[in-house]
Amino acid sequence: METGTDASTADPAAARVTPRRDELARRLAAVRARIADACVAAGRDPGEVELMAVTKFVPAADVATLLDLGVTLLGENRPQEATRKVAEVAALRPAASPRWHLIGGLQRNKARLVAPWAARVESVDSVRLADALDSAVARAVDEGRRAGPLSVLLQVSVDGDPARGGVPLDRMDELADHVAGCSALRLDGLMAVAPLGADPDAAFAAVADAAARLRAAHPRATVLSAGMSGDLEVAIGHGSQVVRVGTALVGDRPIASP
């Protein structure tokens, strides 16, 4: 699991205990305990698995509190909301160094929004999206709004349902080869979501097989991001290195953006 500099050391007021801070601290401890227990059950070192806080619809003040509590990896689903929140959180915690990942579906015309701030995009599922990101990142680097290439994960679909996003497993290799040839992108691995109603054990076993196939063809693409609040234990059992946790960490969120 990740560790991080407690941003409250730079802002003593940030350490003030509030009911919401106390709630987030309790939820965070419970999630970290689940991750540790799952790693023990799988015979893995807990340090191999990183916790991502999914902060879609979560106010910037809560994100700042999570940073105070040592969470440094943050996942956002919506490019426009995320772009605003990145700036808001930077204003609240200027000494913190969060890593922001885009984990939701990305339209090609929104690639320019995420290029300046995303440490990683985990939802690349088509050649056209990869090309849009490649162009947007290269432009951001040229304009001094970004320091270097963008890390990407291929989002794979176990059941091939286009409504949920993801490249079908039988087309993953072609997409991986294309992304590996994009000069402004760095292919780092796979992301997956277990299909609704599916057996997560079977789904994550298939994803683990795909991850092994990807590593064989692209040895640097070693990251597997899989598992959420309801199935993180199963995903860790199949080798996930990043679990994306929203509800269990921050509670229920509104259905629509405020």
Side-chain angles (χ1 to χ4, degrees), residues 13-100:
R16 183 174 61 252
V17 176
T18 65
R20 180 57 170 163
R21 180 188 173 95
D22 184 62
E23 178 190 2
L24 289 173
R26 286 187 283 104
R27 287 179 174 273
L28 177 60
V31 170
R32 283 179 165 159
R34 287 178 60 190
I35 293 171
D37 289 346
C39 287
V40 170
R44 298 180 61 191
D45 179 350
E48 297 174 1
V49 180
E50 190 166 25
L51 169 63
M52 176 192 296
V54 177
T55 52
K56 177 179 70 171
F57 303 147
V58 175
D62 278 1
V63 178
T65 299
L66 289 171
L67 290 171
D68 297 341
L69 293 170
V71 176
T72 59
L73 180 57
L74 307 170
E76 285 284 331
N77 291 61
R78 296 154 62 94
Q80 288 169 300
E81 177 191 353
T83 299
R84 293 193 302 270
K85 196 176 300 177
V86 168
E88 292 168 357
V89 171
L92 289 171
R93 295 294 184 271
S97 300
R99 290 170 292 140
W100 295 90

Side-chain angles (χ1 to χ4, degrees), residues 42 44 200-209 224 232-240:
R44 298 180 61 191
D201 189 63
F204 289 132
V207 171
D209 288 343
L224 176 56
L232 66 86
E233 288 88 354
V234 181
I236 288 171
H238 286 287
S240 177

Side-chain angles (χ1 to χ4, degrees), residues 52 120-125 151-158 167-169 171-173 175-176 186-193 203-215 218 220-227 239-244:
M52 176 192 296
R120 176 177 289 164
V121 171
E122 300 200 1
S123 50
V124 174
D125 60 0
S151 168
V152 300
L153 304 185
L154 306 184
Q155 181 179 352
V156 293
S157 171
V158 176
V167 62
L169 292 174
R171 289 167 45 201
M172 179 193 75
D173 302 292
L175 178 58
R186 187 178 71 243
L187 176 61
D188 281 337
L190 294 185
M191 183 270 268
V193 179
F204 289 132
V207 171
D209 288 343
R213 193 169 85 233
L214 180 66
R215 286 193 298 271
H218 300 277
R220 294 183 57 184
T222 60
V223 176
L224 176 56
S225 173
S240 177
Q241 296 154 308
V242 181
V243 291
R244 308 179 304 274

